[in-house]
Amino acid sequence: DGGITQSPKYLFRKEGQNVTLSCEQNLNHDAMYWYRQDPGQGLRLIYYSQIVNDFQKGDIAEGYSVSREKKESFPLTVTSAQKNPTAFYLCASKTSGGYTDTQYFGPGTRLTVL
Amino acid sequence: GNSVTQMEGPVTLSEEAFLTINCTYTATGYPSLFWYVQYPGEGLQLLLKATKADDKGSNKGFEATYRKETTSFHLEKGSVQVSDSAVYFCALSRVLNNTDKLIFGTGTRLQVFP
């Protein structure tokens, strides 16, 4: 089955620690995205990548980093510089056909800072 | 700028009631419009979309029509079920800074009771 997987589903972190969230897709999509969701709010874009070895900052990139070494994978690192990292993180992907194409989402990772 | 405004929830209905969730947008040009649904603890799933004015998207009994004259994309369903209880997000997609981006509303929670 084609789809997007995110792991782990739940993640706990102590303050001052970096953590990396995994996102893998087997849809052969070129573009991948990371969003953050806070209670009662819409999704906010953290980083996106339109092609391997290239990525751009979204609206709230401070305190986060990414890499795109493989087409299938787009891991997100939440660094200790992120002041309020507790949130639900969603990864998405789409073809590079244009803005009419659909973004497909993974099941999400819930990060809690203790 | 580009933005999406949704009616605030929660929307509380009895089973078999008629549903409307309002969504209006602000954008230049001709964005694509989407409705996504999020069940508790899960990622977002595409519900329906429309890519040009007067298009009607439909899926699982839900419908929405792209109305350029009123800049709206209201979600409707003739008879809701308990299983429709979820958070619904309206979103627009367009090219910003040479990149396809999704802009989300804040979401509307629907609660359906037997």
Side-chain angles (χ1 to χ4, degrees):
Chain A
D1 288 340
I4 303 174
T5 57
Q6 292 186 242
S7 60
K9 188 172 178 63
Y10 299 96
L11 187 57
F12 298 89
R13 188 193 94 174
K14 293 182 179 179
E15 282 193 36
Q17 289 181 337
N18 293 353
V19 289
T20 297
L21 282 60
S22 168
C23 177
E24 303 279 333
Q25 55 97 1
N26 60 5
L27 299 168
N28 200 32
H29 286 168
D30 291 308
M32 297 186 73
Y33 305 79
W34 273 106
Y35 293 91
R36 170 182 171 137
Q37 184 180 22
D38 293 285
Q41 298 189 30
L43 279 67
R44 292 182 290 169
L45 183 64
I46 305 172
Y47 267 98
Y48 60 96
S49 169
Q50 294 181 282
I51 197 169
V52 174
N53 293 323
D54 186 50
F55 50 83
Q56 289 81 39
K57 293 181 179 180
D59 301 319
I60 55 164
E62 185 175 353
Y64 300 97
S65 66
V66 294
S67 63
R68 187 82 188 277
E69 298 176 0
K70 298 187 299 182
K71 186 175 184 177
E72 304 80 19
S73 179
F74 192 41
L76 173 74
T77 297
V78 184
T79 75
S80 57
Q82 168 51 233
K83 299 305 180 187
N84 185 21
T86 294
F88 191 49
Y89 291 86
L90 289 158
C91 179
S93 71
K94 69 182 281 294
T95 64
S96 58
Y99 69 94
T100 60
D101 291 340
T102 300
Q103 284 192 24
Y104 294 91
F105 285 80
T109 292
R110 186 167 299 281
L111 173 64
T112 302
V113 174
L114 304 173
Chain B
N2 300 281
S3 65
V4 175
T5 302
Q6 291 181 237
M7 62 188 290
E8 288 196 19
V11 174
T12 303
L13 296 172
S14 297
E15 204 165 25
E16 299 183 2
F18 184 86
L19 169 71
T20 300
I21 300 179
N22 289 337
C23 171
T24 57
Y25 68 90
T26 301
T28 55
Y30 300 90
S32 290
L33 301 173
F34 301 80
W35 276 102
Y36 282 88
V37 58
Q38 184 177 36
Y39 298 101
E42 297 184 9
L44 273 66
Q45 301 175 24
L46 176 70
L47 184 58
L48 53 84
K49 74 177 190 181
T51 59
K52 60 183 186 296
D54 299 324
D55 267 3
K56 177 186 283 188
S58 61
N59 185 28
K60 300 180 181 179
F62 291 89
E63 294 183 340
T65 301
Y66 188 163
R67 301 285 189 198
K68 186 164 176 62
E69 63 276 13
T70 54
T71 62
S72 65
F73 193 54
H74 305 321
L75 183 68
E76 297 182 336
K77 187 176 185 183
S79 176
V80 294
Q81 305 299 312
V82 173
S83 57
D84 293 327
S85 298
V87 180
Y88 292 81
F89 290 93
C90 185
L92 71 82
S93 174
R94 58 164 308 155
V95 176
L96 294 170
N97 298 325
N98 296 317
T99 302
D100 308 333
K101 287 190 175 180
L102 267 181
I103 297 169
F104 288 89
T106 53
T108 302
R109 181 175 299 279
L110 170 64
Q111 298 174 327
V112 180
F113 294 96

